[in-house]
Amino acid sequence: MTGRLAIVGLGPGAAELITPLASETLAAATDLVGYAPYLARVPERAGQLRHPSDNREELGRARQALELAAAGKSVAVVSSGDPGVFAMASAVFEAIETGKPAWKDIEVAVVPGVSAMLAAAARIGAPLGHDFCVISLSDNLKPWDLVLKRLEAAASGDFIIVLYNPASKARPWQLGDALRLIARHRTPSTPVVFASAVSRPDERIDITTLAGADPANADMRTLIIIGSSATRLVAVGKGRRFVYTPRRAELVET
Amino acid sequence: MTGRLAIVGLGPGAAELITPLASETLAAATDLVGYAPYLARVPERAGQLRHPSDNREELGRARQALELAAAGKSVAVVSSGDPGVFAMASAVFEAIETGKPAWKDIEVAVVPGVSAMLAAAARIGAPLGHDFCVISLSDNLKPWDLVLKRLEAAASGDFIIVLYNPASKARPWQLGDALRLIARHRTPSTPVVFASAVSRPDERIDITTLAGADPANADMRTLIIIGSSATRLVAVGKGRRFVYTPRRAELVET
């Protein structure tokens, strides 16, 4: 008897940003698998089993979920934000490709969610209103030289740049290096946004500039948006400020 | 008396992918503004006024919405997908910055949504599972040379590439040029996905390769995802296929 597996995006945090499809999928599952703090966001249901895990064990967690589904369970793997953006969906498909042949017969669905970058952008205006790149600064699973190559390409292409996983205790220096690289292509007044825990009670959003950006203000949970040459920081009424990138763009020297 | 304005993401199409916050914001509005086919997705409510418009008049539509809010209305501007990604949010902030001084006092909120790229990716696996770039091919508001510069940067940086607005009747040749440029950096077997109307009754998703991609299959509503050197097309049971990009990446010649 083969069960099914859904990889479900919980959105950035607030219950009002979880899609009805995600809520229904979670409610219908017999087993929930995921990083413990994400599982804690899902309402408890009688009879439903929870399998919390550590954040670092993505592939192991994916295999555990597939074992449960292969045994006939209806499994939901939970991710924060969208499961396809630096989250659990890739790990599940990798586990399917490289794992037990029977896993290829499991019915698998991905339930998209509002990603952290979309939620962060919405809180401060429309910084992603034009062409953009999304890069994880973590070099746990890729060489740092590849990160540098992609940062150089994104900066020289005058893209808006979104950075995931900008820093951790084990690699506090990477964000500073990344910002210095980008600063060779952008003016010091380029808008920069640090966002964490968007839509949650401990939400923190700082609007600054490339010259003013302090890497010490970022940790693993921070998402950083760096404007293109066209991105604007606008002061409006009541001390509010917006960051947006106009729809019109010109070719500029980068 | 100043009203308020929300720019609301409807998600890709299905009602089950509209967030509760978006539904509540739409229900609370006195006036709805938007491109007519998007407005048609919002349930009718007695006493609520609708202001449908043409797709090309983004800035005019933004100004109309701000006029209504300045007159005390509670206005919702609707966008498909997420309002911050090639949609109405940028136009509204541009209208605020360049328009009547009183518009700067209007309370403005952006309600994020599940973007077309996240929904398309979820339907076929996890193609956006690693660093990616998002580019609009339209040269209505930017020079084609800037599009080429960004395509070259994205391709040489070995990013997964998402293309919005790949073709229209007025510019049928651009997608072919873009694919040929990318093909100078990627193997012919690189997975390519054409997706349109994701989650709607007329959804169409074609999985192909860079060698097999036919620009004639795209129109303004098509979203295209082109894999990086690491992206994999995997056949599983029952004739199903997944496209995913592994979490691990290597530096390769591009």
Side-chain angles (χ1 to χ4, degrees):
Chain A
M1 185 185 68
T2 300
R4 61 176 67 195
L5 189 153
I7 312 146
V8 179
L10 297 178
E16 63 189 7
L17 291 173
I18 301 178
T19 67
L21 181 59
S23 294
E24 288 157 21
T25 307
L26 293 168
T30 59
D31 292 73
L32 301 182
V33 173
Y35 178 44
Y38 301 157
L39 277 186
R41 286 198 219 153
V42 180
E44 298 269 0
R45 287 180 80 88
Q48 198 174 48
L49 287 177
R50 286 165 180 253
H51 308 269
S53 65
D54 188 271
N55 194 26
R56 294 204 146 238
E57 299 166 355
E58 289 188 342
L59 205 55
R61 194 186 310 158
R63 289 177 179 138
Q64 177 189 25
L66 287 160
E67 287 284 17
L68 289 164
K73 305 290 188 182
S74 181
V75 183
V77 176
V78 302
S79 268
S80 187
D82 178 82
V85 177
F86 303 121
M88 279 302 297
S90 277
V92 169
F93 290 105
E94 187 178 329
I96 291 171
E97 187 184 15
T98 60
K100 298 183 184 176
W103 291 354
K104 292 194 166 66
D105 290 327
I106 295 170
E107 189 184 323
V108 177
V110 180
V111 178
V114 174
S115 61
M117 65 180 170
L118 300 183
R123 293 291 281 156
I124 49 122
L128 305 182
H130 213 290
D131 306 325
F132 63 96
C133 289
V134 185
I135 302 173
S136 168
L137 278 197
S138 171
D139 63 350
N140 287 338
L141 294 166
K142 63 183 170 185
W144 181 243
D145 281 350
L146 178 57
V147 179
L148 291 177
K149 173 180 171 161
R150 286 181 174 160
L151 286 168
E152 183 70 31
S156 68
D158 197 16
F159 284 95
I160 304 145
I161 299 172
V162 181
L163 301 179
Y164 275 76
N165 308 317
S168 75
K169 281 178 186 160
R171 42 184 190 80
W173 51 272
Q174 293 175 332
L175 177 58
D177 279 14
L179 293 173
R180 279 186 289 276
L181 184 157
I182 294 167
R184 293 202 291 270
H185 300 271
R186 304 276 158 91
T187 62
S189 62
T190 301
V192 173
V193 178
F194 284 54
S196 62
V198 174
S199 84
R200 297 199 288 272
D202 53 336
E203 172 178 294
R204 182 169 170 188
I205 298 184
D206 296 316
I207 298 177
T208 180
T209 61
L210 202 45
D214 181 355
N217 289 336
D219 62 23
M220 270 314 272
R221 303 194 320 150
T222 311
L223 183 129
I224 298 173
I225 302 175
I226 298 145
S228 73
S229 67
T231 303
R232 299 185 58 74
L233 173 53
V234 181
V236 290
K238 299 165 192 163
R240 294 171 303 146
R241 296 186 298 167
F242 292 125
V243 178
Y244 84 99
T245 307
R247 300 161 310 131
R248 187 177 294 279
E250 303 300 333
L251 186 62
V252 299
E253 199 59 49
T254 50
Chain B
M1 187 184 67
T2 300
R4 62 176 66 195
L5 188 154
I7 312 146
V8 179
L10 298 178
E16 64 189 5
L17 290 173
I18 302 179
T19 68
L21 180 59
S23 294
E24 288 157 21
T25 306
L26 293 168
T30 59
D31 292 73
L32 300 183
V33 173
Y35 178 44
Y38 300 157
L39 278 186
R41 285 199 220 154
V42 181
E44 298 269 0
R45 286 179 81 89
Q48 198 174 48
L49 288 176
R50 286 166 180 254
H51 308 269
S53 65
D54 188 89
N55 194 25
R56 293 204 149 238
E57 300 166 355
E58 289 188 342
L59 206 54
R61 194 186 309 157
R63 289 177 179 139
Q64 177 190 24
L66 287 160
E67 288 284 17
L68 288 165
K73 305 290 188 183
S74 182
V75 183
V77 177
V78 301
S79 267
S80 187
D82 178 82
V85 177
F86 304 121
M88 279 302 296
S90 276
V92 170
F93 290 105
E94 187 177 329
I96 290 171
E97 186 184 14
T98 60
K100 299 183 182 176
W103 292 354
K104 292 193 167 66
D105 290 328
I106 295 168
E107 189 183 324
V108 178
V110 180
V111 178
V114 174
S115 61
M117 65 181 170
L118 298 183
R123 292 291 281 158
I124 49 121
L128 306 182
H130 214 290
D131 305 326
F132 63 96
C133 289
V134 186
I135 302 173
S136 169
L137 278 197
S138 171
D139 62 350
N140 288 338
L141 294 167
K142 63 183 169 186
W144 181 242
D145 280 351
L146 178 58
V147 180
L148 291 177
K149 174 180 170 160
R150 286 181 174 161
L151 286 169
E152 184 69 31
S156 68
D158 197 17
F159 284 95
I160 303 145
I161 299 173
V162 181
L163 300 178
Y164 275 76
N165 308 315
S168 75
K169 281 178 187 161
R171 43 186 189 80
W173 51 272
Q174 294 175 331
L175 178 57
D177 279 15
L179 293 173
R180 277 186 291 276
L181 184 157
I182 294 167
R184 292 201 292 271
H185 300 270
R186 304 275 158 92
T187 63
S189 62
T190 301
V192 173
V193 178
F194 284 54
S196 61
V198 174
S199 84
R200 296 198 288 271
D202 53 337
E203 172 178 295
R204 183 170 170 187
I205 299 184
D206 296 315
I207 298 176
T208 179
T209 61
L210 201 45
D214 181 356
N217 289 335
D219 62 24
M220 268 315 269
R221 302 193 321 148
T222 312
L223 183 128
I224 299 173
I225 302 174
I226 299 146
S228 73
S229 68
T231 304
R232 298 185 58 73
L233 173 53
V234 181
V236 289
K238 300 164 191 163
R240 295 170 304 146
R241 295 186 298 168
F242 293 125
V243 178
Y244 84 99
T245 307
R247 300 162 308 133
R248 187 176 294 279
E250 302 300 333
L251 187 63
V252 299
E253 198 60 50
T254 50

